[in-house]
Structure formats: C-alpha cells, structure tokens
Amino acid sequence: MEFFSFSKMTSYGTIVAVVNVVIITALGTLGAFLYNLVAAPLGGLKMTFTDE
C-alpha cells in the first residue's frame, strides 16, 4: 500500500498537470500556426499570441 500513499499520489498528480500544461500549450501554438497558414491564402482573421 506504499504505492498509494498521499505524498506519492500528490507527486504523480503534479507531474501529470505539468505535462498537460506543456502539451496543451504546444498544441495551441501549433493550432494557431496552422490556422494562420491556411487563413493567409484564403483570407480570414489572423490570430497572434502576445505576452501582455
């Protein structure tokens, strides 16, 4: 039952959360890039990310 201790589950949860944030950020950036790539020749709105 040491595998299911609170501290280990908290550590595993934190690791999964950090990995999810990195993956979702990467997919969002890739999605915006692909959208802008398609929108350039076809017209449409440009999406940009800012750090403000």
Side-chain angles (χ1 to χ4, degrees), residues 2-30:
E2 288 182 18
F3 182 74
F4 294 109
S5 68
F6 179 74
S7 62
K8 284 191 178 189
M9 288 295 116
T10 304
S11 298
Y12 295 146
T14 303
I15 291 169
V16 168
V18 169
V19 169
N20 278 338
V21 167
V22 170
I23 289 173
I24 290 171
T25 302
L27 288 176
T29 304
L30 181 63

